[in-house]
Amino acid sequence: QVQLVESGGGLVQTGDSLRLSCASSGRTVSGSAMGWFRQAPGKEREFVVGISWSGGSTVYAESVKGRFTISRDNAKNTVYLQMNNLKTWDTAVYYCAAGRYRSPTTRGSEYDYWGQGTPVTVSS
């Protein structure tokens, strides 16, 4: 089993930055792609960004390209999401997930383990 715990969410203003972390424990996820998803109130969960097992490949949703950066430190079993220039529409609960494959995908169904989420609220 894999346990994922997100942290770093909070209340910020438009244009601010936040860094989310996702710490894993239990079975190693160093050989798995990792992803961040988000779910805004009243909306479906959506893919934000994914990173390959090695960190060499990333996939971003168009809405966050140029503003968000994903990275991972396999030695620390941690994945990070640096979010810059936050917008009000970035407000959501952000979830970390461990993928089934080595390469990242945008489909939530291809991620087997999920964290409990960390809320991010961006006010204008």
Side-chain angles (χ1 to χ4, degrees):
Q1 282 285 22
V2 174
Q3 292 79 44
L4 302 173
V5 179
E6 302 95 334
S7 61
L11 172 63
V12 297
Q13 294 187 324
T14 301
D16 284 350
S17 297
L18 274 178
R19 189 194 198 201
L20 306 184
S21 298
C22 171
S24 66
S25 61
R27 185 177 66 82
T28 181
V29 296
S30 61
S32 302
M34 298 294 293
W36 287 95
F37 292 74
R38 67 186 181 187
Q39 187 166 20
K43 295 188 176 182
E44 293 187 354
R45 183 183 64 194
E46 65 173 355
F47 171 80
V48 177
V49 61
I51 188 167
S52 64
W53 71 280
S54 66
S57 175
T58 56
V59 178
Y60 289 87
E62 285 296 325
S63 59
V64 305
K65 276 184 180 178
R67 299 189 298 122
F68 290 12
T69 303
I70 188 172
S71 61
R72 66 188 298 166
D73 185 338
N74 286 339
K76 295 183 178 179
N77 296 317
T78 303
V79 178
Y80 305 97
L81 180 61
Q82 178 67 43
M83 306 187 294
N84 297 329
N85 191 20
L86 283 160
K87 312 293 187 182
T88 54
W89 55 84
D90 293 318
T91 294
V93 176
Y94 283 72
Y95 298 91
C96 170
R100 192 172 306 153
Y101 309 115
R102 289 179 173 262
S103 297
T105 74
T106 63
R107 291 180 287 275
S109 60
E110 294 179 349
Y111 290 80
D112 293 326
Y113 300 97
W114 295 79
Q116 82 290 347
T118 184
V120 172
T121 303
V122 185
S123 64
S124 59

